Amino acid sequence: LGDRSRHLFDLVGSDAMRNAKADVFLFYSQTFAENDVAIKAVDAIIDQFFEPGGWSQCFDNIYAIEANIPQELDLYIPSAQEELYNWVNGPNRQFEAAFRIIQSGEWGEYDGFYLMEGDSVPIKAHWLDVVLSEIEVNRPFAILGAQYDGDKWDNFYEKIPISLLHHTNGNAIYNTSHPLLERLVGQLEVEAPCPYNSIPYDYRMSQMWVEGTL
């Protein structure tokens, strides 16, 4: 979400989101130059963006960015989480990279971003308007999202840690100007080479928050 002023989520008046602008970032976990398939996929999406009636009706700009994670470290292997400490290293490092890239101002002055994970498909009409409205209603915040609301945990609900029960799903809105989120992401970066890296970034940030409030 872009605007000339930083800290938009926290400081603007109640009508600011009516004129808010949004860009799309196609974010590759590795390096485009090393993968022709990724390049072709992104080029196809960008071409569709500019077609009549395409995404350009909703978004101002579209960019392709990369996290530059080496292929051998771009891991997401849920079946190996009991024996491989970095089984979720790919998503963890990509989230940190997303935060730092948006925060850097290299691609424009942004106040935050909505992270839509690769397996997420919007089904609600005018979902972007809903996201912008939620920002307006709920600011100020560091992270704005939803908790798990399914029934897969019902049989062992009472045994689940508080930090997991109440963690915000990774598909969320992140305020890059908020000092709390800066501290959480900084701690994730510090923990990258240690066993805490075996915990997905969204759950790990929830653990930090719970630990800090006890």
Side-chain angles (χ1 to χ4, degrees):
L1 303 173
D3 192 274
R4 292 181 181 179
S5 174
R6 300 302 289 267
H7 316 298
L8 176 68
F9 289 174
D10 301 334
L11 302 179
V12 295
S14 60
D15 293 334
M17 289 301 170
R18 294 182 181 178
N19 297 315
K21 297 180 179 180
D23 296 333
V24 177
F25 285 83
L26 306 175
F27 193 17
Y28 181 42
S29 59
Q30 299 178 26
T31 303
F32 282 115
E34 298 174 358
N35 191 322
D36 290 339
V37 174
I39 292 174
K40 292 178 181 178
V42 165
D43 285 345
I45 295 173
I46 293 175
D47 288 343
Q48 292 176 2
F49 181 90
F50 291 106
E51 290 178 355
W55 293 4
S56 59
Q57 295 181 109
C58 303
F59 299 96
D60 279 25
N61 302 290
I62 186 168
Y63 303 108
I65 59 176
E66 53 196 3
N68 294 312
I69 302 170
Q71 183 178 12
E72 66 273 14
L73 298 178
D74 190 15
L75 303 176
Y76 181 62
I77 315 173
S79 61
Q81 58 185 290
E82 297 298 329
E83 59 269 3
L84 188 64
Y85 92 94
N86 61 347
W87 68 273
V88 70
N89 188 69
N92 286 353
R93 302 289 78 74
Q94 188 172 10
F95 170 74
E96 295 166 5
F99 181 86
R100 295 305 180 195
I101 290 171
I102 298 299
Q103 187 186 56
S104 71
E106 178 182 355
W107 296 87
E109 292 296 313
Y110 295 93
D111 309 283
F113 62 96
Y114 169 49
L115 176 67
M116 183 183 292
E117 295 180 340
D119 57 355
S120 298
V121 180
I123 59 174
K124 184 179 180 66
H126 308 295
W127 63 268
L128 181 59
D129 294 326
V130 174
V131 169
L132 294 174
S133 296
E134 287 298 310
I135 292 171
E136 181 175 355
V137 170
N138 290 284
R139 68 174 189 275
F141 59 83
I143 303 172
L144 178 62
Q147 299 172 5
Y148 176 69
D149 193 29
D151 57 9
K152 293 182 178 180
W153 296 348
D154 288 358
N155 293 333
F156 49 92
Y157 188 86
E158 296 180 354
K159 299 180 181 179
I160 299 175
I162 294 176
S163 54
L164 180 56
L165 281 176
H166 299 290
H167 93 282
T168 300
N169 185 277
N171 292 282
I173 303 162
Y174 298 90
N175 182 349
T176 53
S177 67
H178 200 289
L180 173 59
L181 187 55
E182 171 67 34
R183 292 290 298 273
L184 294 176
V185 174
Q187 184 62 28
L188 289 175
E189 292 169 332
V190 169
E191 294 177 353
C194 76
Y196 282 118
N197 190 35
S198 65
I199 304 170
Y201 68 89
D202 50 349
Y203 180 25
R204 180 59 188 139
M205 288 195 292
S206 178
Q207 289 181 329
M208 295 179 200
W209 172 252
V210 171
E211 292 164 2
T213 56
L214 295 179

